[in-house]
Amino acid sequence: IVVKDGVSHTIDGALDGGGVDLGGAVRNIQRLGIRAEDAVTMAAATPAARMGLTDLGTIEVGKRAHLTAWTEGWQVALTITE
């Protein structure tokens, strides 16, 4: 998926109507009354586990360091990858 000028497309140029970034996903789920901690787990740990990516999704010794810092309004402020 490629996002250009706020529009999400597949690699071959077709529109991707379901595309949402990580910040958008976390904000959307919180609008349903889900706690912030649970929303972040749903956006990170759950997908990693479902895809069998056992070295991603949570902060633990020995796992790869992919971290996201958030603003107070749940906008992605910074992403750090190992």
Side-chain angles (χ1 to χ4, degrees), residues 59-73:
I59 301 171
E60 296 178 47
V61 173
K63 290 193 172 189
R64 290 192 287 168
H66 290 195
L67 307 171
T68 301
W70 304 87
T71 67
E72 288 185 31

Side-chain angles (χ1 to χ4, degrees), residues 22 39-53 56-57:
L22 180 64
V40 170
T41 297
M42 294 168 95
T46 301
R50 294 288 303 231
M51 291 186 282
L53 302 173
L56 291 172

Side-chain angles (χ1 to χ4, degrees), residues 3-4 10 15 17 26-27 32 36 41 44 54 56 71 75:
V3 179
K4 183 175 179 183
T10 61
L15 285 175
V26 170
R27 286 189 304 278
L32 298 174
T41 297
T54 58
L56 291 172
T71 67
Q75 299 289 331

Side-chain angles (χ1 to χ4, degrees), residues 11-30:
I11 297 287
D12 62 1
L15 285 175
D16 172 45
V20 63
D21 65 14
L22 180 64
V26 170
R27 286 189 304 278
N28 287 345
I29 199 71
Q30 285 186 78

